[in-house]
Amino acid sequence: MQASISISSSSSFAPVAPRSVRPPALSYSTGQLRFCRLRREAFGFCSFNQSCSIPIHGYRMRNRLPGMKITASVSSNGSPSKGFDYDLVIIGAGVGGHGAALHAVEKGLKTAIIEGDVIGGTCVNRGCVPSKALLAVSGRMRELQDEKHLKALGLRVSESGYDRQAVADHANNLASKIRGNLTNSMKSLGVDILTGVGVFVGKQKVKYGKVGFMDTEITAKNIIIATGSVPFVPNGIEVDGRTVFTSDHALKLEWIPDWLAIVGSGYIGLEFSDVYTALGSEVTFVEALDQLMPGFDPEIGKLAQRILVNPRKIDHHVGVFAKKITPAKDGKPVIIELIDAKTKEPKDTLEVDAALIATGRAPYTKGLGLENVNVVTQRGFVPVSERMEVLDANGNVVPHVYCIGDANGKMMLAHAASAQGISVVEQVCGRDNVLNHLSVPAACFTHPEISFVGLTEPQAREKAEKEGFEISIAKTSFKANTKALAENEGDGLAKLIYKPDTGEILGVHILGLHAADLIHEASNAIAMGMKLQDIKFAVHAHPTLSEVLDELFKSAKVNDDTAVPLPEAVAI
Amino acid sequence: MTTAITPLKTSFLPSSTAASKQLTSPSTLRGTRRRCGNGVRIQAKIREIFMPALSSTMTEGKVVSWVKSEGDKLSKGESVVVVESDKADMDVETFYDGYLAAIMVDEGGVAPVGSAIALLAESEDEISLAKSKAIDSGSSSDPVESQSQPQATIPEPEAPKVTLVMDSASVSVVSMHPAATAERVVASPYAKKLAKDLKVELRSVVGSGPMGRIVAKDVESAAVNGAPSPAPVANSNVRVSVDAGIELGSTVPFTTMQAAVSRNMVESLAVPTFRVGYTIITDALDQLYKKIKSKGVTMTALLAKATALALVQHPVVNSSCRDGKSFTYNSSINIAVAVSIDGGLITPVLQDADKVDIYSLSRKWKELVDKARAKQLQPNEYNTGTFTLSNLGMFGVDRFDAILPPGTGAIMGVGASQPTVVASKDKRIGIKNQMQVNVTADHRIIYGSDLAVFLQTLAKIIEDPKDLTF
């Protein structure tokens, strides 16, 4: 499937395309002609190469494999529209920019990407990727240290230990490997990688280069801002990079403090607590809200606390701000002054060996020259429409300028940025496309993992009240799943929030073994608009963890007349 | 596979499609109701929290954990307790505001579906009342009648309720950190957890961590010493807290460590062993110990050193027979010392105990014990012993018989050094400190005379211990 797509999309002339691809090309010709208008202008001919990319429900398989030589040689970076150096210039080569660039080249746009730092951005170099390497280690350490669990499986392990430097190297090596893959995938497609900082000088005009030497000016029909974000450090916190640090430093794993305070209990803080406690640290969470893990569905958060926090060497302070954090020096420990989040009165002082600041991320949009296109950022975020079109100070769309990923703050996730980028490229190519953010899954890679898509229960209830519809909840436990029990990992819960009248899925939340991999059945169902009464007939291999979701869908009660009536709930 | 958990979904969500099951029954105070049944409905003030039915097949449930503690304020919809059914752990929520007055089934306890597991008081004043009710219900079957009488006569104004709401707003829900307590106690997160579990009062623990911080091992040793425990059985000062968790009549599977010990002990049965005992006068050794104790020297290290020096002169006692056909004169003298840790047994090894000076040996010993407690001993630190020491003298044991660890030639059991009236060779009677040692050895390679001369040498070294310090 993948191969046939890339060959067909690589051919410039319809007759060259393999026969097997022709019929769909013809049958979808109306939709496709409209799409090709833009390219006809640019190239003077219409190719049928998009024929097999006609998406179902607006989604299409993407080819991200760098090794596709045929693709690279033929469908390489196209020639630009008249009067422009490029069809598309992307500022920032993170996962968002990368996703957009690949899709743009596939669509025949002449594309350049400007990167002032390293290819791959936060995710690959200082975020998701290296942290997964560390979490892979912490997961195994946990297994080896869990005597009860090993014994239940009949295993005997005399001891476990780790080499800090080797663990750190694993994370670093993974980051460079993925960075290499990303760079190669763009190079092989012929994306122009321009080194330096990109700055707007006017409409459809950007200059780039090293700071102070930004003398190269280029014009582009369309520009995507994809500059991402940096760790957010609240006022009063002094980061020294050694005893008080952000995720950037924490990933380098330069040392393992005996006692680490983690300020912020979102998914970044939670993942790091998993890593550091597995490697022997004790952890204290400092959370400003009244509950740990405030971003999660409350029920999932509660269970997560029971599984991921309470049994571990972790304690927590909630409802407090870290007003001042002083790094360790002169033989004194790191000192954290806590104040009550509501009354602002001093509450407590912590003396710890190190503090990790995981209070979220701030957009990295300074120095972009946005004033030259009359755009004012809001707390650093670039304001955008639902189509990622950048809005100017008056709230009007700035033509040809888009912003994706962390820089717009809509959904600060690597894959969300990439999806937004693809959506923008679709629009640039003349096909209207609005990304449904409620279909974008999110995951926290603790052991066990947490994942979710769509609305949380309180969000759904609020929406239901406002819009006047009913919601229902269904839940299944990993304890009832054969595969989970075989792994002796029965801790976990899957929760479904849905409309009982239509069978529409509003949200799915999972905490349990491989939750991050399990969520996609739900996110795809939401993206495709599938209803529960239909999806519950889908078959799942037995015994697999996916049956947790199977059970979940089956346990939903949809009052749809057309559906087969289900027996009444057993009275209890 | 398709065991429907459906009922679960409906149980705790008031707005779910099916009827919600209320966990606290409004009609719990039967007595009150009946008494005041003249049309005026007086709200029940103390409600029972029932063990809910989480599935149609559930007959009893286990209380996994109490999310709230006694005295905590509860608001409608909050989780109170986690219950484990045959299928899942579920949060049980309260449908009433109030205070968790009394917990009747502790964590880990099992209760039949429908039985009361806790009491919910409506106001703070009623907590004590509910508590006494909980105690009564433990002894007599129907205490409600008498208990509820006083309540029924007290009219229930709305006012206190209002003030309570205000209270709850100002008093933070989380009662983790008594913010303004007089002295600050700095304890690591795990130390705090352990202190709670082992019921150790942190204020009475001296911290040994960085900057005097209380760390886990401080709490552990405080628990073992028993002193700070609020209600210790102050009889023997050894391991008071450990016994607390033992459920009589229960069968407990071996831990990994216990299984290993068991394996080794059974294996030892294949070795033909015999025992030789000796009484050694320890006055000189005790004096030496007093002198150098301040330099960190321990009695264990002294005994290991003395044994090692004796072994130098009797290599056969330091040999081992593994295949029954040959035996090995071990090239180094590694003294393994049995220590009990967390109910298990491990033998950290003092390597080259004959060559290492007594101070380094003592330091090494401390390091090994710390590592053993932290379960971080490397294999070569616990399985390379060539001769084993087991000392029960600190408990007042005067003599005992040790089982030979497989793969070694001999083990020596050391008893207590006790003041004893002895007649000396010059026909005088005096008091001397005496210690009995008893060596168990593999008779395939070590014979009676070998042990006899070894013990003679050892006695000489201990009775004139100047060589121990070089």
Side-chain angles (χ1 to χ4, degrees), chain A residues 364-417:
Chain A
Y364 182 62
T365 53
K366 264 197 190 141
L368 260 175
L370 287 170
E371 61 281 1
N372 298 329
V373 284
N374 191 27
V375 172
V376 182
T377 58
Q378 294 164 359
R379 292 180 301 126
F381 292 109
V382 177
V384 290
S385 71
E386 61 172 3
R387 289 177 172 77
M388 307 303 137
E389 300 153 311
V390 171
L391 305 176
D392 67 14
N394 306 319
N396 300 321
V397 167
V398 180
H400 307 295
V401 183
Y402 301 84
C403 178
I404 61 170
D406 289 4
N408 72 29
K410 271 192 174 291
M411 198 177 213
M412 296 173 91
L413 294 166
H415 49 275

Side-chain angles (χ1 to χ4, degrees), chain B residues 110-297:
Chain B
V110 174
V113 166
S115 68
I117 54 175
L119 295 179
L120 185 71
E122 193 159 276
S123 71
E124 240 168 335
D125 309 333
E126 287 154 354
I127 292 177
S128 54
L129 185 67
K131 271 198 173 140
S132 57
K133 186 182 167 206
I135 294 163
D136 281 7
S137 72
S139 53
S140 80
S141 58
D142 189 19
V144 186
E145 204 76 8
S146 57
Q147 280 298 325
S148 54
Q149 214 156 6
Q151 296 172 41
T153 56
I154 302 166
E156 202 197 351
E158 278 296 298
K161 207 172 180 184
V162 177
T163 54
L164 281 174
V165 173
M166 283 164 64
D167 276 358
S168 74
S170 58
V171 178
S172 177
V173 181
V174 176
S175 54
M176 284 279 310
H177 298 281
T181 40
E183 324 159 32
R184 269 170 51 74
V185 175
V186 180
S188 82
Y190 187 45
K192 281 186 207 149
K193 263 189 191 158
L194 272 180
K196 204 177 155 203
D197 291 347
L198 300 173
K199 297 195 169 44
V200 169
E201 175 58 53
L202 277 175
R203 280 177 204 290
S204 59
V205 178
V206 181
S208 71
M211 263 81 59
R213 170 196 308 165
I214 299 169
V215 293
K217 70 169 196 251
D218 302 330
V219 177
E220 276 166 353
S221 59
V224 168
N225 294 332
S229 188
V233 188
N235 197 352
S236 82
N237 63 346
V238 191
R239 296 180 163 251
V240 174
S241 63
V242 177
D243 299 348
I246 294 176
E247 197 185 319
L248 297 178
S250 61
T251 304
V252 183
F254 278 154
T255 63
T256 317
M257 194 187 257
Q258 286 166 333
V261 171
S262 161
R263 232 176 6 260
N264 279 337
M265 292 303 95
V266 172
E267 200 179 315
S268 181
L269 286 178
V271 180
T273 53
F274 74 111
R275 288 129 190 110
V276 176
Y278 209 100
T279 302
I280 302 172
I281 292 170
T282 60
D283 289 306
L285 185 73
D286 293 342
Q287 233 163 21
L288 175 70
Y289 176 56
K290 250 182 222 156
K291 221 162 67 190
I292 57 177
K293 192 178 171 182
S294 60
K295 295 176 188 167
V297 173

Side-chain angles (χ1 to χ4, degrees), chain B residues 25-189:
Chain B
S25 153
S27 60
T28 35
L29 263 185
R30 292 144 284 188
T32 313
R33 271 288 178 79
R34 243 174 275 138
R35 217 160 288 273
C36 320
N38 51 1
V40 184
R41 185 176 180 277
I42 289 185
Q43 227 184 332
K45 299 160 89 183
I46 298 170
R47 297 187 169 95
E48 289 177 342
I49 297 180
F50 292 138
M51 172 63 71
L54 299 178
S55 71
S56 49
T57 54
M58 178 171 165
T59 54
E60 58 175 29
K62 182 173 156 191
V63 174
V64 178
S65 63
W66 284 97
V67 181
K68 302 284 177 179
S69 318
E70 286 186 4
D72 282 2
K73 167 129 175 67
L74 306 175
S75 32
K76 193 178 160 185
E78 262 188 311
S79 289
V80 183
V81 59
V82 182
V83 169
E84 183 187 79
S85 73
D86 46 351
K87 295 199 186 74
D89 287 358
M90 295 297 295
D91 276 29
V92 175
E93 296 167 2
T94 168
F95 282 79
Y96 295 94
D97 293 339
Y99 291 84
L100 183 60
I103 288 173
M104 295 157 77
V105 177
D106 283 333
E107 292 184 3
V110 174
V113 166
S115 68
I117 54 175
L119 295 179
L120 185 71
E122 193 159 276
S123 71
E124 240 168 335
D125 309 333
E126 287 154 354
I127 292 177
S128 54
L129 185 67
K131 271 198 173 140
S132 57
K133 186 182 167 206
I135 294 163
D136 281 7
S137 72
S139 53
S140 80
S141 58
D142 189 19
V144 186
E145 204 76 8
S146 57
Q147 280 298 325
S148 54
Q149 214 156 6
Q151 296 172 41
T153 56
I154 302 166
E156 202 197 351
E158 278 296 298
K161 207 172 180 184
V162 177
T163 54
L164 281 174
V165 173
M166 283 164 64
D167 276 358
S168 74
S170 58
V171 178
S172 177
V173 181
V174 176
S175 54
M176 284 279 310
H177 298 281
T181 40
E183 324 159 32
R184 269 170 51 74
V185 175
V186 180
S188 82

Side-chain angles (χ1 to χ4, degrees), chain A residues 262-441:
Chain A
I262 300 182
V263 184
S265 67
Y267 67 95
I268 298 177
L270 203 58
E271 286 190 354
F272 277 110
S273 80
D274 194 288
V275 169
Y276 277 88
T277 53
L279 300 183
S281 296
E282 295 177 29
V283 165
T284 295
F285 272 122
V286 175
E287 172 59 55
L289 296 177
D290 281 341
Q291 193 187 335
L292 286 180
M293 297 166 269
F296 297 128
D297 180 272
E299 195 167 357
I300 295 287
K302 249 185 269 177
L303 187 61
Q305 184 169 344
R306 196 176 310 138
I307 296 174
L308 300 171
V309 175
N310 294 350
R312 298 185 179 171
K313 297 177 180 180
I314 301 175
D315 68 351
H316 57 272
H317 297 241
V318 294
V320 289
F321 279 130
K323 183 171 178 265
K324 188 161 183 257
I325 300 185
T326 321
K329 56 189 160 206
D330 310 327
K332 278 194 194 137
V334 174
I335 295 169
I336 304 178
E337 291 174 25
L338 300 179
I339 57 165
D340 190 287
K342 289 190 194 97
T343 63
K344 310 289 177 215
E345 276 163 19
K347 192 110 189 244
D348 207 342
T349 305
L350 302 179
E351 292 166 19
V352 295
D353 300 319
L356 165 63
I357 312 305
T359 42
R361 300 186 61 86
Y364 182 62
T365 53
K366 264 197 190 141
L368 260 175
L370 287 170
E371 61 281 1
N372 298 329
V373 284
N374 191 27
V375 172
V376 182
T377 58
Q378 294 164 359
R379 292 180 301 126
F381 292 109
V382 177
V384 290
S385 71
E386 61 172 3
R387 289 177 172 77
M388 307 303 137
E389 300 153 311
V390 171
L391 305 176
D392 67 14
N394 306 319
N396 300 321
V397 167
V398 180
H400 307 295
V401 183
Y402 301 84
C403 178
I404 61 170
D406 289 4
N408 72 29
K410 271 192 174 291
M411 198 177 213
M412 296 173 91
L413 294 166
H415 49 275
S418 183
Q420 291 170 354
I422 288 162
S423 171
V424 166
V425 170
E426 286 287 306
Q427 294 171 60
V428 163
C429 292
R431 282 158 57 108
D432 192 22
N433 187 309
V434 178
L435 176 68
N436 176 10
H437 283 87
L438 291 176
S439 74
V440 178

Side-chain angles (χ1 to χ4, degrees), chain A residues 461-482:
Chain A
R461 288 201 185 283
E462 195 188 321
K463 194 174 176 201
E465 199 157 310
K466 222 191 296 174
E467 298 177 13
F469 59 83
E470 243 187 78
I471 64 164
S472 286
I473 313 283
K475 289 178 217 169
T476 50
S477 162
F478 277 67
K479 271 207 176 127
N481 180 277
T482 310

